[in-house]
């Protein structure tokens, strides 16, 4: 077994090379343009997020190839948006307010140290928080704009193809692909730029939101996350609350305005709540905190802390992003889990949004069920996973093996035969066939099986398949964080330092920043002392050749992801210590 890793169906893990694989999902998050598509992206809530650009279809494609390319592009974009925003609303509700408070409080304490007037302290808190919130919201809206631009690029390419209907991409007001049509500017007589919406960010800056033009029930309309507007001038028209963009044959729907509007509403609510909370906090602490009592010149915010962790340490970066959002990460233990949907086995670090969730070795959990509290994230090395593939016919006839389900992209399969021969094949080696065994295009609804000719690799063309293992087709170690969306079993929990197995694990998170907590002078002095202890532990680990430091039972007063003190050259030590 080559042992290069695999993620799993049910986890957010799709990429641009996903292919037409029905309900199956890619094995490993795929690198697209240097960015990860499909991995659970949480960094957008910590720092400025570079939206993954689109790759337009190549020129000269046949009608079938173009349709498949469009499908893959749309499916990838849907996966990327879902793993970044739509499926990660708990990040907004549980983690974002914490970082917004931290930004505002640090700015406020700086003003307190300068003995500023209460109004100036409050203004400083709001300005800092609004600036950070604007980065997060603009990340979200930039992703909407990129998705719309990509959609119209695909529409233009198909419109110019003589053998592809200009209605291949449909728009409709419900889940079924009815007669709705995605409109071009020439069909409406109005440029999309004239239908753009100007959105004001919390810091006062504005950005333009692109709109999707469509015709549903004979009425042209345009929409974006902030508005749905009919263009017929009839004020009695009732615009739909849900919009769907469809790709035929597989009914891929994305750019649903209700989903995007819900996420934007969550973001706006978080900002409004923290704005009000910071006002309360300033009023509470202004007369209680002695001017100059807390020096913040060496403090950093959560996003700065995450950013400063070594860029070449994928595990540290991924875990730091979660910790910066106050998501409980059990960095003290290493987990081995198996995904029920595919049998894929992953090894890595588990994080949950609800610290009341206890995990036991040998137990099965389903984050999609109401028996599991909150969301679950898993950070793992793609090079450590594997899986058992069971969707195959037992017999090999004339060197041809048959899979009864579509093989995953970016995945290799190792087949062991009854003649003690082993061969390795990938998705590109397979041919999609119909029920009569005739080759068909992969996206065709008549696909009944997937065949691969192994005669060049086998000495015995007639045999049985004993087992099939699969692993990701990657050449180097790579860390990923995925959101676990389906049932998984915890095979083993090991202490990261000792390697000893443990029966169960619990999660602890810092007390979230609210409108009524702050550091007293006494607590601040203790925190500084604990920083010194962490630095000493780090230096000891380096002198002895150790790979990390043990945080032990140090209580960081609810601040290891919110407010961290840097003490000279020990800054890196503290950062690595908190992200182990």
């Amino acid at each position: 077994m080559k042992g290069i890793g695999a993620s799993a169906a049910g986890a957010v893990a799709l990429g641009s090379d996903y292919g037409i694989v029905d309900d199956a999902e890619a094995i490993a998050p795929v690198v697209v343009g240097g960015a990860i598509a499909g991995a659970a992206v949480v960094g957008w809530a910590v720092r400025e997020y570079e939206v993954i650009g689109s790759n337009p279809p190549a020129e000269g494609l046949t009608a079938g190839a173009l349709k498949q390319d469009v499908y893959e592009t749309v499916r990838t974009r849907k996966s990327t948006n879902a793993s970044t925003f739509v499926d990660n609303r708990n990040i907004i509700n549980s983690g974002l307010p914490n970082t917004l408070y931290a930004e505002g409080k640090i700015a406020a304490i700086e003003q307190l140290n300068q003995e500023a007037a209460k109004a100036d302290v409050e203004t400083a808190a709001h300005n800092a928080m609004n600036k950070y919130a604007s980065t997060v919201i603009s990340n979200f809206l930039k992703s909407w704009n990129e998705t719309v631009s990509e959609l119209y690029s695909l529409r233009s390419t198909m419109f110019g193809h003589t053998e592809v209907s200009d209605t291949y991409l449909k728009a409709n007001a419900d889940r079924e692909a009815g007669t709705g049509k995605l409109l071009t500017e020439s069909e409406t007589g109005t440029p999309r730029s004239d239908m753009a919406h100007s959105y004001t960010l919390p810091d006062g800056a504005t950005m333009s939101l692109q709109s999707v033009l469509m015709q549903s029930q004979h009425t042209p309309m345009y929409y974006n996350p902030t508005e749905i507007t009919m263009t017929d001038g009839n004020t009695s028209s009732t615009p739909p609350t849900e919009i769907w963009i469809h790709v035929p044959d597989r009914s891929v729907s994305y750019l649903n305005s209700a989903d995007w509007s819900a996420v934007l509403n969550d973001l706006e609510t978080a900002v409004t709540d923290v704005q009000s909370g910071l006002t309360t906090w300033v009023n509470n602490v202004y007369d209680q905190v002695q001017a100059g009592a807390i020096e913040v010149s060496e403090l950093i915010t959560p996003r700065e802390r995450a950013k400063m962790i070594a860029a070449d340490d994928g595990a540290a970066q991924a875990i730091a992003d979660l910790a910066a959002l106050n998501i409980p990460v059990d960095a003290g233990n290493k987990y081995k889990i198996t995904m029920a949907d595919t049998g894929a086995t992953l090894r890595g670090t588990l994080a949950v949004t609800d610290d009341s969730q206890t995990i036991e070795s040998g137990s099965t959990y389903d984050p999609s069920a109401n028996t599991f509290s909150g969301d679950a994230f898993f950070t793992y090395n793609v090079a450590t996973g594997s899986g058992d593939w069971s969707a195959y016919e037992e017999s090999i006839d004339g060197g041809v093996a048959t899979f009864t389900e579509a093989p995953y992209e970016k995945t290799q399969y190792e087949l062991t035969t009854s003649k003690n021969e082993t061969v390795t094949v990938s998705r590109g080696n397979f041919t999609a066939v119909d029920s009569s065994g005739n080759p068909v295009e992969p996206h065709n609804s008549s696909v009944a099986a997937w065949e691969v000719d192994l005669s060049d690799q086998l000495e015995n063309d007639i045999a049985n398949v004993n087992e099939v293992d699969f692993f990701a087709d990657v050449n180097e170690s790579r860390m990923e964080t995925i959101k676990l969306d389906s049932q998984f079993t915890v095979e083993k929990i090991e202490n990261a330092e000792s390697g000893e197995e443990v029966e169960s694990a619990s999660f602890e998170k810092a007390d979230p920043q609210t409108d009524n907590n702050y550091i007293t002078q006494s607590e601040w002095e203790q925190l500084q002392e604990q920083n010194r202890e962490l630095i000493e532990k780090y230096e000891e680990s380096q002198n002895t050749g150790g790979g990390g430091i043990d945080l032990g039972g140090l209580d960081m007063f609810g601040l290891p992801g919110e407010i961290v003190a840097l003490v000279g050259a020990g800054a890196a030590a503290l950062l690595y210590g908190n992200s182990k």
Side-chain angles (χ1 to χ4, degrees):
M1 181 68 182
K2 293 187 178 181
I4 300 295
S7 73
V12 181
L14 300 174
S16 66
D17 294 321
Y18 167 90
I20 310 305
V21 294
D22 297 326
D23 293 329
E25 297 193 11
I27 294 305
V30 179
V31 176
V32 180
I36 299 300
V41 182
V42 298
W44 68 276
V46 179
R47 67 183 69 84
E48 185 173 354
Y49 170 63
E50 184 176 350
V51 181
I52 297 173
S54 60
N55 293 313
E59 296 182 1
L61 295 177
T62 64
L66 177 58
K67 289 180 179 180
Q68 179 171 341
D69 200 328
V70 169
Y71 178 92
E72 292 174 353
T73 300
V74 169
R75 193 70 174 89
T76 297
R77 182 64 60 179
K78 175 179 179 177
S79 170
T80 302
N81 288 341
S83 61
T84 305
F85 306 110
V86 180
D87 289 347
N88 282 333
R89 291 175 66 184
N90 268 347
I91 291 294
I92 300 172
N93 299 325
S94 63
L96 182 58
N98 185 76
T99 57
L100 291 176
Y101 268 116
E103 295 282 339
K105 288 181 179 181
I106 289 177
I109 294 175
E110 289 177 344
Q111 292 299 306
L112 286 170
N113 286 335
Q114 297 175 25
E115 302 185 10
K118 181 185 293 186
D120 293 335
V121 174
E122 183 177 332
T123 297
H126 285 172
N127 287 346
M129 187 276 294
N130 287 335
K131 181 179 179 181
Y132 176 63
S134 295
T135 297
V136 176
I137 294 178
S138 65
N139 285 339
F140 174 70
L141 298 180
K142 284 188 297 185
S143 293
W144 166 270
N145 282 345
E146 180 63 28
T147 305
V148 174
S149 294
E150 180 180 73
L151 175 66
Y152 274 91
S153 174
L154 297 175
R155 171 70 169 75
S156 177
T157 301
M158 288 186 293
F159 189 79
H161 198 289
T162 58
E163 298 179 14
V164 179
S165 169
D166 64 348
T167 59
Y168 183 74
L169 278 181
K170 293 184 177 181
N172 212 49
D174 54 43
R175 293 174 182 268
E176 300 300 325
T179 59
K181 183 179 181 181
L182 183 66
L183 300 176
T184 62
E185 296 180 356
S186 60
E187 290 172 307
T188 62
T190 304
R192 284 193 298 122
S193 58
D194 291 350
M195 294 184 178
H197 176 84
S198 180
Y199 183 87
T200 302
L201 296 166
D203 65 357
T206 60
M207 63 182 299
S208 179
L209 292 185
Q210 295 192 40
S211 294
V212 177
L213 311 182
M214 64 168 285
Q215 180 171 302
S216 182
Q217 300 175 345
H218 310 293
T219 302
M221 59 183 295
Y222 67 95
Y223 73 93
N224 57 53
T226 64
E227 59 182 349
I228 300 176
T229 304
M230 315 304 286
T231 61
D232 60 357
N234 187 349
T235 56
S236 64
S237 296
T238 303
T241 57
E242 290 189 318
I243 304 295
W244 298 78
I245 303 297
H246 301 268
V247 177
D249 300 332
R250 290 298 182 268
S251 298
V252 176
S253 301
Y254 77 143
L255 273 176
N256 183 345
S257 64
D259 290 341
W260 286 78
S261 295
V263 176
L264 181 59
N265 181 70
D266 284 353
L267 288 166
E268 293 173 336
T269 299
V271 172
T272 300
D273 289 347
V274 174
Q275 284 175 335
S276 177
L278 284 173
T279 297
T280 301
W281 183 82
V282 170
N283 287 330
N284 287 339
V285 305
Y286 187 80
D287 296 328
Q288 299 179 41
V289 178
Q290 178 183 358
I294 300 177
E295 178 58 51
V296 296
S297 61
E298 291 181 327
L299 291 179
I300 61 172
T301 64
R303 56 177 171 159
E304 289 170 332
R305 172 177 176 261
K307 182 179 180 180
M308 291 175 68
I309 292 179
D312 60 352
D313 191 336
Q317 182 66 75
I319 294 173
D321 286 346
L322 292 168
L325 292 163
N326 204 29
I327 304 302
V329 181
D330 184 14
N333 291 311
K334 298 299 180 184
Y335 292 76
K336 176 184 177 183
I337 66 173
T338 298
M339 306 301 298
D341 290 351
T342 63
T345 298
L346 312 177
R347 297 164 179 81
T349 303
L350 186 64
V352 298
T353 57
D354 190 336
D355 59 349
S356 67
Q357 179 70 55
T358 299
I359 300 295
E360 296 183 354
S361 180
S363 296
T364 298
Y365 302 90
D366 188 353
S368 65
N370 56 16
T371 55
F372 191 92
S373 181
D375 290 337
F377 295 91
F378 200 75
T379 301
Y380 73 107
N381 188 341
V382 175
T384 64
S386 61
D388 298 323
W389 182 263
S390 59
Y392 61 86
E393 292 184 2
E394 184 177 353
S395 64
I396 297 177
D397 187 359
V400 176
T402 302
F403 278 12
T404 56
E405 293 181 8
Y408 305 135
E409 285 283 0
K410 297 296 181 180
T411 305
Q412 292 195 30
Y413 295 84
E414 190 173 79
L415 291 78
T416 302
T417 75
S418 57
K419 303 295 185 178
N420 294 322
E421 294 186 80
T422 299
V423 296
T424 300
V425 293
S426 61
R427 168 64 180 262
N429 300 122
F430 287 84
T431 300
V433 298
D434 60 20
S435 57
S436 299
N438 299 314
V440 294
E441 292 190 13
H443 70 281
N444 196 298
S445 58
S446 64
V447 172
W450 295 73
E451 295 181 346
V452 57
D453 188 348
L454 307 175
S455 55
D456 289 343
Q457 301 183 59
L458 294 175
E459 293 184 6
N460 299 280
D461 286 352
I462 300 178
N464 288 334
V465 178
N466 282 351
E467 65 178 357
V468 179
D469 298 319
F470 64 86
F471 46 91
D473 187 9
V474 296
N475 296 321
E476 59 184 13
S477 176
R478 189 174 77 234
M479 301 303 302
E480 304 289 356
T481 295
I482 56 174
K483 182 170 178 247
L484 303 178
D485 281 340
S486 63
Q487 189 178 96
F488 66 93
T489 297
V490 178
E491 306 291 348
K492 182 187 297 185
I493 307 174
E494 292 183 347
N495 181 279
E497 294 293 334
S498 66
E500 297 180 356
E501 287 193 38
V502 296
E503 295 183 357
S504 63
S506 58
F507 297 80
E508 295 183 7
K509 68 176 177 181
D511 291 335
Q513 293 297 298
T514 65
D515 60 7
N516 59 13
N517 58 355
Y518 64 94
I519 312 172
T520 66
Q521 178 62 27
S522 174
E523 290 173 333
W524 174 244
E525 291 174 353
Q526 292 179 48
L527 181 57
Q528 287 181 311
E529 176 59 32
Q530 290 181 344
N531 287 339
R532 284 190 287 271
E533 290 182 32
L534 286 171
I535 293 168
E536 291 175 0
K537 285 177 175 286
Y538 173 80
E539 291 175 345
E540 289 174 2
S541 70
Q542 298 308 298
N543 292 336
T544 57
I549 62 175
D550 181 7
L551 298 183
L554 294 179
D555 178 7
M556 300 296 289
F557 298 109
L559 296 170
E562 296 75 40
I563 300 176
V564 180
L566 300 181
V567 183
L574 180 56
L575 291 169
Y576 275 103
N578 283 332
S579 61
K580 177 176 69 70

